[in-house]
């Protein structure tokens, strides 16, 4: 069914058309009716299948029907997300969908001045997209009231119900009215989190699409066995072989992100990094550069593994394997979005075999292996333009030369 057949206002239909959304994706088709009916929903669908609009469209429709007087600092719908970048992105989707409808949207996250956020909350807000930190901060200062909330959405729901966030979420749920509608969306969920989610709502409708394989079918993903110290040469080769491609490279730590960027710089490849140690302005700039393609290589920690929707990311490289198995699904899910296809490659060193096993058991099947023969492996190291590597190879050459006379001597003795 096309969107123009839905019982939406002309303005919402026009906004969908302007976004190029002609018909709902599978998950949208399934979630729109129960959400419009006011039901609680737990929706699981693979990465890149349009989950944002799967909650945004029906919620906007509902809010457009229920015109109410807004209390000062009150909010009607809260969308909780785990990262600043995701707050910005989801806010943008809502803004495009509510254009000209008289519904207001505010994206809220820390790391930026709170005054403009407070000013916008003064007359009440229809939709608040927020990370928990700043939201609770403003609430405790009296600039945000949860009394009028009638829809609560947890995007990346399993993550929002994990250790780092669960207390905040429980606190939030205690503070908003009982009659609220609650929506959970994610690409991954486990039994424990599912129980937790069900414990927070009354009769959630469960909608799950492609439950067997959590990795999107649009993604070709494989693993290559590469030793820790050699990873940079393989990344260098990949980038040089695909100079036009947008690549998202995941590393384990903030320090490693900077190190990989430095190693790339030494071989003439420019890249940018994103992680929790960067100031917000820089994080926002880096995301914008990657989005528009001014920078093609983005090196990120798991801060960017969830939810980020950047068009035309052709490759995801797991330079280090993710420590949390489900993050594999989220990381590789930054490519192959919508109808696009994508390629994901993981570099697995000796030390990481155990993590690989965990990931494979999470996926319930093995990941295809890219076989690299010895000659190709060595060639990759040899063609590197890394001067540090050249310096090493000079020593190697020197050692080889020094060793030669000894060999010769041995031969003479025979
Ligand atoms: P998910 O949250 O499932 O990972 P997103 O909501 O980020 O996915 O959407 C992935 C991409 O699909 C986005 O670029 C979005 O614009 C696009 N998209 C969503 N719904 C539709 C639709 N109905 N038709 C066409 N493209 C869509
Ligand atoms: Mg999403």
């Amino acid at each position: 069914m096309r969107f123009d057949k839905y019982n939406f206002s002309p303005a919402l239909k026009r906004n969908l058309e302007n976004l190029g959304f002609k018909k709902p994706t599978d998950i949208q088709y399934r979630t729109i009716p129960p959400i419009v009916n006011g039901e609680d929903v737990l929706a699981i669908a693979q990465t890149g299948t349009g989950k944002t609009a799967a909650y945004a469209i029906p919620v906007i429709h509902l809010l457009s029907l229920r015109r109410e007087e807004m209390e000062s600092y009150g909010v009607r719908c809260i969308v909780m997300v785990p990262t600043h970048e995701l707050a910005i992105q989801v806010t943008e989707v809502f803004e495009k969908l509510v254009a000209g409808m008289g519904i207001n949207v505010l994206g809220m996250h820390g790391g930026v001045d709170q005054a403009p956020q407070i000013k916008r909350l003064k007359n009440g807000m229809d939709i608040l997209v927020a990370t928990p930190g700043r939201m609770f901060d403003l609430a405790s200062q009296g600039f945000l009231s949860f009394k009028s909330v009638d829809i609560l959405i947890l995007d990346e729901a399993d993550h929002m119900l994990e250790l780092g966030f669960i207390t905040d979420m429980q606190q939030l749920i205690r503070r908003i009215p009982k009659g609220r509608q609650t929506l959970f969306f994610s690409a991954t969920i486990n039994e424990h989190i599912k129980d937790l989610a069900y414990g927070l709502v009354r009769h959630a409708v469960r909608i799950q699409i492609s439950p067997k394989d959590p990795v999107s079918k649009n993604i070709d993903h494989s693993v290559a066995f590469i030793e820790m110290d050699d990873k940079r040469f393989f990344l260098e080769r990949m980038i040089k072989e695909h100079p036009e491609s947008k690549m998202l490279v995941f590393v384990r730590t903030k320090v490693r992100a900077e190190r990989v960027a430095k190693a790339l710089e030494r071989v003439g490849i420019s890249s940018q990094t994103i992680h929790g140690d960067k100031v917000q302005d820089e994080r926002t700039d880096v995301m914008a550069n990657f989005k528009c393609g001014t920078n093609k290589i983005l090196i990120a920690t798991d801060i960017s593994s969830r939810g980020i929707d950047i068009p035309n990311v052709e490759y995801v490289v797991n330079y280090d394997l993710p420590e949390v198995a489900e993050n594999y699904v989220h990381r590789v899910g930054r490519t192959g979005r919508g109808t696009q296809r994508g390629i994901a490659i993981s570099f697995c060193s000796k030390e990481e075999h155990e993590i690989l096993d965990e990931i494979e058991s999470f996926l319930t099947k093995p990941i295809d292996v890219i076989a690299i023969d010895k000659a190709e492996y060595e060639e990759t190291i040899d063609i590197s333009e890394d001067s540090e590597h050249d310096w090493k190879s000079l020593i190697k050459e020197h050692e080889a030369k020094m060793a030669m006379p000894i060999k010769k001597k041995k031969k003479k003795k025979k």
Side-chain angles (χ1 to χ4, degrees):
M1 183 155 92
R2 295 170 60 92
F3 280 126
D4 50 21
K5 298 277 190 297
Y6 279 76
N7 186 23
F8 297 149
S9 71
L12 179 53
K13 285 186 182 173
R14 185 200 57 224
N15 294 339
L16 286 163
E17 200 180 314
N18 288 343
L19 273 168
F21 293 6
K22 294 192 175 62
K23 58 181 183 47
T25 63
D26 290 350
I27 189 67
Q28 292 162 7
Y29 181 76
R30 300 275 302 279
T31 58
I32 291 172
I35 296 177
V36 166
N37 273 336
E39 295 189 73
D40 292 336
V41 169
L42 170 77
I44 308 297
Q46 292 173 333
T47 54
T49 55
K51 291 189 289 296
T52 319
Y55 57 77
I57 296 169
V59 161
I60 290 166
H61 175 69
L62 282 177
L63 294 180
S64 73
L65 297 178
R66 303 180 198 149
R67 294 283 174 192
E68 294 153 20
E69 269 298 298
M70 289 296 298
E71 57 159 341
S72 199
Y73 300 112
V75 190
R76 299 168 70 197
C77 167
I78 295 180
V79 187
M80 296 276 30
V81 294
T83 61
H84 298 176
E85 286 69 30
L86 207 44
I88 295 168
Q89 179 183 302
V90 171
T91 305
E92 274 173 18
V93 174
F94 270 103
E95 278 169 347
K96 285 179 187 153
L97 285 171
V98 300
M101 294 180 71
I103 292 177
N104 51 15
V105 183
L106 173 63
M108 179 187 281
H109 56 79
V112 292
D113 188 8
Q114 67 170 31
Q117 298 174 349
I118 295 170
K119 198 166 155 211
R120 292 209 47 211
L121 285 166
K122 177 104 201 330
N123 297 321
M125 187 53 61
D126 292 302
I127 300 161
L128 175 67
V129 182
T131 54
R134 175 61 58 89
M135 189 183 75
F136 282 114
D137 192 2
L138 291 193
S140 68
Q141 295 176 56
F143 295 122
L144 179 60
S145 153
F146 297 118
K147 277 196 301 228
S148 341
V149 175
D150 45 21
I151 306 173
L152 170 66
I153 304 163
L154 305 196
D155 197 350
E156 305 298 337
D158 59 332
H159 190 41
M160 299 310 289
L161 296 174
E162 268 167 21
L163 220 51
F165 286 114
I166 182 69
T167 342
D168 280 349
M169 292 305 107
Q170 283 167 334
Q171 187 192 346
L172 177 63
I173 282 164
R174 267 200 303 277
R175 291 170 71 175
I176 63 180
K178 285 239 160 25
R180 67 169 187 270
Q181 182 177 11
T182 312
L183 313 174
F184 303 98
F185 277 77
S186 189
T188 53
I189 193 122
N190 62 37
E191 287 306 318
H192 168 65
I193 300 284
K194 213 180 277 174
D195 289 346
L196 246 175
Y198 283 136
L200 298 172
V201 296
R202 260 162 275 166
H203 312 285
V205 177
R206 178 174 153 193
I207 298 168
Q208 189 152 354
I209 291 179
S210 313
K212 285 213 185 77
D213 192 348
V215 177
S216 160
K217 61 179 186 324
N218 291 358
I219 306 164
D220 289 317
H221 62 118
S222 46
V223 58
F225 295 108
I226 300 169
E227 289 324 315
M228 211 47 116
D229 290 343
D230 301 331
K231 288 183 174 184
R232 58 202 167 111
F233 306 123
F234 283 84
L235 181 62
E236 175 188 352
R237 183 169 182 171
M238 257 188 87
I239 295 170
K240 286 184 174 161
E241 281 176 357
H242 307 279
E244 297 305 317
S245 299
K246 246 193 219 181
M247 234 178 253
L248 179 54
V249 181
F250 283 104
V251 293
R252 210 181 56 246
T253 63
K254 300 162 189 173
V255 173
R256 269 177 80 73
E258 296 304 328
R259 266 195 212 142
V260 173
K262 287 255 160 55
L264 289 180
E265 197 184 315
R266 281 202 300 272
V267 295
I269 297 169
S270 68
S271 66
Q272 293 195 312
T273 59
I274 188 159
H275 51 69
D277 272 357
K278 297 219 142 176
V279 295
Q280 189 54 45
D281 280 353
E282 213 179 328
R283 274 166 68 163
T284 309
D285 281 351
V286 166
M287 287 310 285
N289 291 341
F290 191 54
K291 198 164 188 179
C292 73
T294 346
N295 164 47
K296 289 198 158 62
I297 314 294
L298 180 61
I299 303 162
T301 56
D302 272 320
I303 199 173
S304 309
S305 66
R306 290 227 179 210
I308 298 299
D309 182 55
I310 291 184
N312 311 320
V313 174
E314 284 171 69
Y315 291 92
V316 165
V317 178
N318 281 323
Y319 191 85
D320 298 320
L321 289 187
E323 274 165 357
V324 180
E326 66 250 30
N327 277 358
Y328 180 87
V329 171
H330 294 282
R331 283 177 174 195
V332 301
R334 297 315 105 212
T335 185
R337 304 190 61 76
T339 52
Q340 293 188 322
R341 290 205 62 85
I343 297 174
I345 298 176
S346 300
F347 293 175
C348 177
S349 71
K350 248 193 251 67
E351 301 83 353
E352 294 173 301
H353 279 250
E354 225 170 284
I355 307 176
L356 181 63
D357 289 344
E358 273 171 42
I359 294 168
E360 290 183 329
S361 73
F362 177 77
L363 302 179
T364 66
K365 58 177 165 192
I367 300 169
D368 288 344
V369 174
I370 305 179
I372 308 172
D373 63 38
K374 202 159 179 263
E376 197 186 346
Y377 194 106
E378 262 152 31
E379 183 196 294
T380 305
I381 298 174
D382 287 342
I383 59 173
S384 169
E385 287 169 38
D386 194 328
S387 54
E388 214 174 83
H389 152 72
D390 284 350
W391 172 77
K392 270 190 201 152
S393 66
L394 280 178
I395 292 183
K396 256 195 217 158
E397 266 173 42
H398 180 69
E399 280 171 348
K401 271 186 202 148
M402 297 294 282
M404 259 169 9
I406 303 168
K407 273 184 194 160
K408 274 181 192 163
K409 261 184 199 168
K410 274 185 183 167
K411 268 186 185 168
K412 271 181 189 170
K413 268 185 184 171
K414 269 184 186 172

